Amino acid sequence: MKKRIIFLVCFYILLMFPIYWMIVNSLKTENEIFTMTTFFPKEITFANYIEIFTNPIWTDSLINSIIYVCLNVVITLLAAIPGAYAFSRWKFRGSNHLFFWLLTNRMAPAAIFMIPFTELYFTLKLFDTHLGVALAHCLFNIPLAVWILEGFMSAIPKEIDETAFIDGFSFFRFFRKVFFPLIAPGIGVAAFFVFTFSWVEMIIAKTLTGPLAKPMVVTIAVAQQAVEGTRWGLMSALTVVMILPGIFVVYFVRHYLAKGFSLGRV
Amino acid sequence: MKNRAWLFVAPVLLLVALNALVPIMAVINYSLHYSFAGSAPEFAGLNNYIEVFTDPDFLGALRRQFLFSFCVLLVQIPLGILIAMQLPKSGKSVVVCLVLLGIPLLIPHTVVGLLWRIMTVYEVGIISKIFSYVFDYSYRVTQNPVDAVLTIFFLDVWHWTPLVVLLSYAGLVAIPDQFYQAAAIDGASAWKTFRYVTLPKLRAVLIIALLLRFMDSFMIYAEPFIISGGGPGNWNTYLNQYVARKAESYELGYAGAASIAYLYIVVVCCFIFYTIMTNLGKGIKR
C-alpha cells in the first residue's frame, strides 16, 4: 500500500513539475528567469498577466477561442447524441464499417488538406467566422463524441426504451425524461473531450481564420516566432491562461467524470 | 426502423462528410497532376506517387515516424495501464487524481512545445541547467540530435500518458469485483490475474487508446517544429512536417501524393490494429 502511494506521488510530481515551473516562471521578472535558477520567484510580479488581460490582441483572441470552442461543443453534441443512439440501438447495413470510417477522419488534417479546406469554407462564406471553425472541428470531434456516447448508451439496457414506449411515451418525451438523465454523465465526459480537442487544435484554426476570428493558439504561435528568446515570462503566463478554461470545464464536470468513468467505456 | 436509423445518423454523416470528402477529393486530384503554378495543370498519372516512394527524404521521414510512434506506444500503453492500476478506486482522492491527470491533455500542442522549449533552452531552461550541473553535460536541443529526439519523446510521453491512464482507469473501474474474488479463490498469481482477468476486460478501451495514440503520434507536427524547427538536420522532421514543407512551397502534386500515401498508411495500420485486437478478444473469451 505504501509503495503504491510513493509511486503515485512520484508520478504526480513528474506530471505536475512542468506546469508548476510554468506558473513560477510567469510570476518572475524576465531578469530572474535568465540569470538564476529559483524554484520560487524572488519577487512576484503580475506584469505578464496584466499585459495579457489589458492588451486587446490577447483578450480578443481568447474570446474568439472560447466562442468557437463552445459553438463546436454544442453542434457536436447535437449531432452526436442521435447518431450514437442509432449506432447503439439499431444494427443497420454497414453500421460497423461506418463506425470505423468515422474514426479514421481524425487523421485527415495534414497540411495539404488545408488548401481545399480553405476553398471550401470560402465558398460557404464561412471563412474567418467562428461558426466556420466550429463546423470544421466537427471533422474530428463528432467521431470521438459518437464513439464515447455509443459506449455509454450501450450500457443502458434496451428494455428501458421498450418499457417507456409501452407506457405511451412519445419518442421525444422518452428521450428528454428518461434517456437523457441516464446518459448525462456520458454527455459530460464527451463534452470534456470535445472541448479539449477543439481547444488545442491549431492547424485548422490557423488556416480558417483571418484577423476577425483568430484564436489564442494561433496568436501564441505567431508571437512565439516574433518575440523569440526575449519574453519567456510572458509566454509562460500565456500557457497558464490557456490551461485555465480547461480546468474550469474539468471542475464543472468533475463528478460526471468520476461517475462517467465507472459507467461507460471511456 | 432502418430508415429511422439513417435519419438519426444523417447529421453526423453530413457534418463529417462535408469536412472529409470534399478536401480528400481535391487532394487526390492534386496528386494526379503536375504542379505548375499559373499554367493549366497537366495530367501526371501515378508519376507523383513514384516520385514520393523513391524520394529518400520521404522514406527517411517515414522510417523516423514509424520508429517514433512505435517507441511512444511501447512506453505509453504499459505505463498508462500500470499507473491506472495504482490509482485509488473510491474516495475523495479519485476526483483530485482524475482532474490532475486531465491538465496536460488540456494544453494545446503548440503550448506544450513552447513549455518544453522554455525548459530546454540552452543555459536558461531548467532541464538544460540540471544536465550541466549534475552530469556536466551540455544539453543542446538545437545542436545535438540525441537531445532533440529524446526531448520530443519525453514530451510526448509526458503529454499523452495521462490519456492512456484515464482510458485504462475507465476500463478498470468497470470490472466487477467478483472477477478478482474468483481469481483469488482459484489462487491465481498477480500476473495471471492481470493477464487473464484485467487485460481481456480492458480490451475495448485499449483499442481506443492504441488507435488514438497511434494516429496522434503519427501526426505529430507542432512540437518538433517549436522545439528545434525539425532539426538539427532532419533528425526531428517527422512525416507531417515534411509533407507540410512541400505543401508550403506549393509542390501540390508531390504534396498531394505524399498526403494520400500518408493517409493510406495510417488507415491500413489502424485497420490492422483494429482487426487484430478485436479478434484477439474473441480468442480469449472462448
Side-chain angles (χ1 to χ4, degrees):
Chain A
M1 197 63 209
K2 253 195 176 154
K3 249 194 213 160
R4 183 181 197 159
I5 290 172
I6 294 169
F7 176 80
L8 275 183
V9 168
C10 290
F11 167 69
Y12 274 102
I13 288 176
L14 282 178
L15 188 73
M16 287 301 128
F17 178 76
I19 292 163
Y20 168 77
W21 192 243
M22 197 165 56
I23 296 171
V24 169
N25 267 347
S26 72
L27 296 172
K28 285 180 189 169
T29 55
E30 270 329 301
N31 188 23
E32 190 177 339
I33 294 175
F34 275 97
T35 49
M36 47 197 140
T37 314
T38 42
F39 284 87
F40 194 78
K42 280 219 167 101
E43 48 176 311
I44 293 176
T45 162
F46 288 99
N48 293 320
Y49 289 99
I50 293 167
E51 178 170 346
I52 292 169
F53 285 108
T54 50
N55 189 335
I57 293 174
W58 299 115
T59 48
D60 284 356
S61 46
L62 191 61
I63 291 166
N64 285 338
S65 285
I66 292 172
I67 293 175
Y68 78 69
V69 170
C70 291
L71 258 177
N72 175 258
V73 172
V74 172
I75 297 172
T76 303
L77 289 181
L78 280 182
I81 291 171
Y85 184 81
F87 279 117
S88 79
R89 288 302 188 253
W90 302 309
K91 282 270 160 273
F92 49 96
R93 188 187 290 259
S95 58
N96 283 332
H97 292 280
L98 201 62
F99 212 56
F100 182 75
W101 173 75
L102 274 179
L103 203 80
T104 58
N105 282 303
R106 283 184 57 81
M107 299 163 301
I112 177 85
F113 287 87
M114 292 305 113
I115 299 168
F117 222 84
T118 321
E119 282 172 19
L120 174 70
Y121 277 85
F122 252 122
T123 322
L124 293 172
K125 299 216 184 324
L126 285 172
F127 183 80
D128 201 12
T129 58
H130 301 113
L131 185 64
V133 185
L135 281 179
H137 279 182
C138 286
L139 173 67
F140 51 86
N141 267 342
I142 284 189
L144 187 78
V146 169
W147 192 315
I148 293 172
L149 287 169
E150 198 267 344
F152 278 95
M153 290 179 182
S154 295
I156 294 167
K158 269 185 188 167
E159 285 75 36
I160 290 184
D161 306 28
E162 284 154 15
T163 324
F165 294 136
I166 290 168
D167 288 349
F169 275 76
S170 71
F171 190 81
F172 187 71
R173 191 147 161 254
F174 152 73
F175 217 93
R176 212 167 43 116
K177 293 274 179 192
V178 182
F179 203 63
F180 192 80
L182 284 174
I183 53 156
I187 294 177
V189 175
F192 165 71
F193 277 103
V194 168
F195 179 96
T196 309
F197 282 109
S198 179
W199 182 254
V200 302
E201 201 284 331
M202 187 184 80
I203 301 178
I204 292 180
K206 185 177 161 191
T207 346
L208 288 188
T209 52
L212 288 176
K214 186 163 283 187
M216 197 67 164
V217 261
V218 178
T219 321
I220 291 182
V222 173
Q224 192 260 332
Q225 284 154 1
V227 298
E228 178 95 43
T230 47
R231 314 265 335 248
W232 293 118
L234 180 72
M235 287 290 134
S236 304
L238 282 168
T239 11
V240 175
V241 171
M242 278 308 278
I243 309 178
L244 286 180
I247 291 182
F248 179 73
V249 172
V250 177
Y251 184 79
F252 203 58
V253 298
R254 69 191 187 285
H255 295 302
Y256 283 162
L257 264 184
K259 209 167 149 197
F261 275 120
S262 60
L263 265 178
R265 65 172 175 211
V266 157
Chain B
M1 228 33 172
K2 261 183 189 163
N3 288 335
R4 196 188 229 181
W6 282 107
L7 191 72
F8 273 61
V9 184
V12 169
L13 289 186
L14 210 73
L15 281 168
V16 176
L18 165 82
N19 287 313
L21 294 185
V22 178
I24 281 194
M25 299 294 194
V27 172
I28 291 177
N29 189 30
Y30 292 155
S31 76
L32 297 174
H33 290 88
Y34 292 111
S35 41
F36 289 110
S39 62
E42 194 184 332
F43 188 69
L46 292 176
N47 282 345
N48 282 322
Y49 288 91
I50 293 167
E51 197 191 326
V52 166
F53 280 106
T54 50
D55 176 4
D57 286 343
F58 178 83
L59 295 176
L62 186 65
R63 234 188 340 261
R64 274 193 298 277
Q65 184 67 71
F66 265 114
L67 196 64
F68 175 76
S69 290
F70 179 74
C71 292
V72 158
L73 285 174
L74 201 66
V75 171
Q76 283 180 356
I77 303 277
L79 187 66
I81 300 174
L82 182 69
I83 293 164
M85 288 173 71
Q86 311 298 323
L87 285 178
K89 290 224 164 54
S90 55
K92 285 219 159 110
S93 49
V94 172
V95 174
V96 181
C97 285
L98 291 183
V99 168
L100 287 181
L101 275 173
I103 292 177
L105 304 178
L106 291 163
I107 314 176
H109 301 80
T110 35
V111 179
V112 171
L114 193 56
L115 167 62
W116 280 71
R117 174 99 208 256
I118 295 172
M119 294 200 301
T120 52
V121 180
Y122 181 56
E123 286 192 328
V124 177
I126 177 85
I127 291 178
S128 167
K129 272 183 184 165
I130 290 174
F131 267 94
S132 66
Y133 287 141
V134 181
F135 305 109
D136 198 24
Y137 174 80
S138 70
Y139 190 88
R140 297 181 90 153
V141 170
T142 45
Q143 312 245 319
N144 240 327
V146 178
D147 298 352
V149 171
L150 281 182
T151 307
I152 299 294
F153 175 74
F154 281 109
L155 175 153
D156 203 78
V157 169
W158 176 81
H159 193 183
W160 291 111
T161 305
L163 180 75
V164 183
V165 178
L166 281 179
L167 290 169
S168 314
Y169 183 74
L172 282 174
V173 177
I175 303 175
D177 269 341
Q178 286 92 314
F179 283 90
Y180 291 111
Q181 285 158 13
I185 290 167
D186 290 347
S189 65
W191 165 249
K192 284 218 158 130
T193 312
F194 175 74
R195 173 68 185 79
Y196 294 103
V197 179
T198 315
L199 213 52
K201 289 275 164 197
L202 282 181
R203 190 174 50 87
V205 283
L206 285 184
I207 293 178
I208 307 182
L210 197 71
L211 287 181
L212 281 183
R213 279 316 303 134
F214 175 72
M215 286 186 239
D216 287 355
S217 67
F218 218 80
M219 291 193 341
I220 191 164
Y221 175 76
E223 295 93 330
F225 183 72
I226 287 183
I227 293 277
S228 61
N234 266 337
W235 276 86
N236 248 342
T237 306
Y238 298 100
L239 213 46
N240 205 349
Q241 206 183 336
Y242 181 71
V243 176
R245 245 183 237 167
K246 290 285 179 184
E248 274 153 20
S249 57
Y250 283 94
E251 293 177 53
L252 290 188
Y254 181 96
S259 302
I260 296 296
Y262 182 12
L263 195 63
Y264 188 75
I265 292 167
V266 186
V267 172
V268 167
C269 287
C270 285
F271 192 73
I272 293 172
F273 277 148
Y274 190 71
T275 324
I276 289 178
M277 300 230 3
T278 327
N279 288 336
L280 229 103
K282 279 180 195 146
I284 287 165
K285 260 180 206 155
R286 271 167 206 150

